[in-house]
Structure formats: structure tokens, C-alpha cells
């Protein structure tokens, strides 16, 4: 699937549904349906309450990003991707370091399963290097490249193997777009409004800066969850995205 440049600004806002249980997640889905483009379900929530949270998102005609970062032998990840397609995931991800065969088989399996049941294939993203790892950590694992080199190397491998994009930190957006082309989707967390606390994010960009740097989607959690008026926060972020798109002529 090509990177559709004609998405509405709101479609580019991914809300990190980082809730500990079903009830709290459901309350957020009720509050933010229509105000965000996708709900990102990660390992904590999925492990706590399973597929029913994704079914609930889909029941409300909202989009779901299944952020489970699959990494296993190719057959296992391909079957997991088929299950994600049946569940209705609009976006899911795999670790690029799972290798070319894993990524390729998974991309093919997801596309075939989507065709079989007559749905649009989900966007498959690759995770390159976790932002919690620095150059010294990579060396210790046994990788000889530094983090930036690894990100580019793994993103290129992912693209060649059928992934449609990557999850990348703000500092990598521009480089990835330059090296891998505009059609390769970049999804970026680490987003903060200019006056907000960074929390545990080490380097942040505003929605405007991230989109201007080339991000196709931004992932936002606490700046929406921990303010008094989350719907208003979403509107501000979407306006920020719209302004950046207009300024860079990508709308
Ligand atoms: O609350 P906050 O906006 O920092 O949430 C960001 C979301 O993006 C969280 O779900 C976090 O796990 C995720 N994420 C991240 N950094 C990465 C990859 C994912 O913050 N490199």
C-alpha cells in the first residue's frame, strides 16, 4: 500500500492507549473516539485484556494500531499477523531484527489474509532500534554499528522485505525520509506540546515540528491523558498537524 498523502490531519494522530485494564481503556475510547486517528494498543493493555479491546475499538468504527512488536520465527509471526488482520488491526508492527524472511513472510501473509476476508491490508511497520538502547548497549549486545547506522540499516532491510514504514524517534525522521524516500511511512512518538513536561522522553518535538520533519503519523499519550481537557488537547494537536502540513504543502 502506498503512503496516502491525502489523509486528514486527525488521521495522523495516534493515541497511545496505555491503560492498565479494560475499564480504563474503554473510558478513553469513549472519550476520544472521533478525536484521534488510531488507538495504539500495546503489550500492557493487550496482555491484561486481550483481543476484546481491539474488537471494542473496531465496533465503534475507530482504527487500531496493534503495537505488539512481533519477533519470532517467520511462520509464527506470519500466523500472528493473520490473526491481527482477522481482529481488524489497521496497523501492526514487527522487529526489523527478526530478519528479511520474517518480515517478507509476514507482509505476504497479512496481504493474503486481508484479500481472503475482503478487508484493506493493515499497514505493517518495523521497529528498528529501541530508543531505550544507546551505542554502548548495542555494542554489548554484539552489534558493531552505532544506533543511527543500525536504524538506517534495519529500516532499509525492512523496506526491501515488504514493510511499509517504521516507528522512529524524532531525531531520525528527516534522515529516514532522505535515505528511504517519502513513501516509506514514519510513525513518531516522543511528541510534546512546547509548554508540556517531557516526562521520560529524552528528545521531543512538537506535533508541528515532527510533521514538518516528515512524520506521517505521531504517537501521543501523556500529553492527552494527563491534561484536564483531553478533547481540547487533541484539537490543538490536530491543528498543529494541519498547520505543519499546510506549511510544507503536504496536505
Ligand atoms: O505518553 P507518551 O506520549 O510519552 O507515549 C508515547 C507512546 O509511544 C508510549 O506508548 C510509548 O511506549 C511509545 N513509544 C515511545 N518511544 C518509542 C517507541 C514507542 O515512547 N521509541
Amino acid at each position: 500500500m502506498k503512503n496516502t498523502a491525502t489523509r486528514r490531519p486527525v488521521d495522523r494522530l495516534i493515541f497511545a492507549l496505555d491503560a492498565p485494564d479494560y475499564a480504563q481503556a474503554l473510558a478513553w475510547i469513549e472519550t476520544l473516539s472521533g478525536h484521534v486517528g488510531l488507538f495504539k494498543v500495546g503489550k500492557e493493555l493487550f496482555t491484561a485484556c486481550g483481543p476484546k479491546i481491539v474488537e471494542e475499538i473496531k465496533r465503534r468504527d475507530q482504527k487500531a494500531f496493534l503495537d505488539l512488536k512481533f519477533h519470532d520465527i517467520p511462520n509464527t509471526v506470519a500466523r500472528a499477523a493473520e490473526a491481527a488482520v482477522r481482529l481488524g488491526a489497521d496497523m501492526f508492527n514487527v522487529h526489523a531484527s527478526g530478519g528479511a524472511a520474517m518480515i517478507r513472510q509476514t507482509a505476504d501473509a497479512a496481504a493474503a489474509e486481508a484479500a481472503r476476508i475482503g478487508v484493506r491490508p493493515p499497514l505493517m511497520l518495523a521497529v528498528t532500534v529501541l530508543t531505550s538502547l544507546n551505542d554502548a548497549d548495542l555494542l554489548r549486545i554484539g552489534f558493531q554499528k552505532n544506533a543511527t547506522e543500525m536504524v538506517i540499516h534495519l529500516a532499509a532491510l525492512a523496506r526491501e522485505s515488504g514493510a511499509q514504514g517504521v516507528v522512529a524517534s524524532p531525531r531520525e525522521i528527516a534522515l529516514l525520509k532522505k535515505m528511504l524516500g517519502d513513501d516509506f511511512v514514519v510513525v513518531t512518538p516522543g511528541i510534546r506540546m512546547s509548554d508540556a513536561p517531557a516526562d521520560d522522553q529524552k528528545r521531543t518535538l512538537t506535533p508541528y515540528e515532527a510533521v514538518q520533519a516528515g512524520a506521517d503519523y505521531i504517537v501521543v499519550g501523556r500529553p492527552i491523558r494527563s491534561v484536564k481537557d483531553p478533547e481540547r488537547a487533541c484539537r490543538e494537536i490536530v491543528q498543529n498537524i494541519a498547520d505543519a502540513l499546510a506549511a510544507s504543502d503536504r496536505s
Side-chain angles (χ1 to χ4, degrees):
M1 187 170 59
K2 244 177 103 64
N3 170 14
T4 41
T6 48
R7 272 176 241 112
R8 294 172 305 157
V10 66
D11 298 333
R12 299 172 181 263
L13 172 57
I14 301 176
F15 174 63
L17 188 56
D18 293 331
D21 59 40
Y22 186 74
Q24 289 182 55
L26 190 58
W28 281 115
I29 296 166
E30 276 166 1
T31 305
L32 294 180
S33 285
H35 295 274
V36 300
L38 294 100
F39 289 91
K40 181 174 85 67
V41 175
K43 288 196 171 96
E44 179 191 8
L45 184 60
F46 196 82
T47 304
C49 56
K52 70 178 179 190
I53 195 66
V54 180
E55 287 160 4
E56 189 57 40
I57 294 166
K58 299 305 298 184
R59 206 174 61 75
R60 286 159 197 264
D61 269 338
Q62 301 297 297
K63 292 192 169 171
F65 172 11
L66 197 58
D67 178 23
L68 297 180
K69 301 184 180 70
F70 296 139
H71 189 172
D72 209 313
I73 59 171
N75 183 63
T76 299
V77 176
R79 300 290 84 77
E82 289 168 354
V85 171
R86 290 193 294 274
L87 190 55
D90 298 278
M91 196 182 262
F92 74 102
N93 53 10
V94 301
H95 271 284
S97 54
M102 187 200 82
I103 301 166
R104 171 58 61 199
Q105 281 189 37
T106 302
D108 291 349
E113 188 66 358
R116 190 185 71 79
I117 64 173
V119 298
R120 197 182 150 101
L123 197 75
M124 186 178 88
L125 304 171
V127 174
T128 57
V129 178
L130 295 170
T131 46
S132 51
L133 299 174
N134 62 22
D135 292 348
D137 296 318
L138 293 180
L139 203 59
R140 212 163 158 209
I141 295 170
F143 295 136
Q144 301 305 318
K145 291 180 161 52
N146 69 32
T148 307
E149 290 165 349
M150 275 301 280
V151 167
I152 295 298
H153 179 82
L154 287 169
L157 173 78
R159 194 182 63 161
E160 276 162 40
S161 311
Q164 287 134 319
V166 283
V167 182
S169 85
R171 82 177 71 206
E172 294 149 0
I173 305 169
L175 186 60
L176 282 162
K177 285 287 179 180
K178 190 169 147 229
M179 306 289 291
L180 298 175
D182 245 4
D183 281 347
F184 197 57
V185 171
V186 174
V187 175
T188 304
I191 301 296
R192 292 294 177 270
M193 298 310 269
S194 47
D195 53 353
D199 304 311
D200 56 355
Q201 298 285 7
K202 296 226 166 58
R203 187 167 177 274
T204 64
L205 288 184
T206 65
Y208 186 94
E209 291 165 336
V211 172
Q212 207 176 38
D216 297 281
Y217 295 87
I218 56 171
V219 180
V220 187
R222 285 163 290 183
I224 295 173
R225 284 200 311 275
S226 48
V227 295
K228 258 205 236 112
D229 188 344
E231 290 168 54
R232 184 167 159 215
C234 290
R235 282 195 297 275
E236 275 174 28
I237 294 167
V238 170
Q239 187 57 50
N240 232 255
I241 295 172
D243 291 346
L245 290 170
S248 55
D249 208 22
R250 288 164 60 214
S251 47

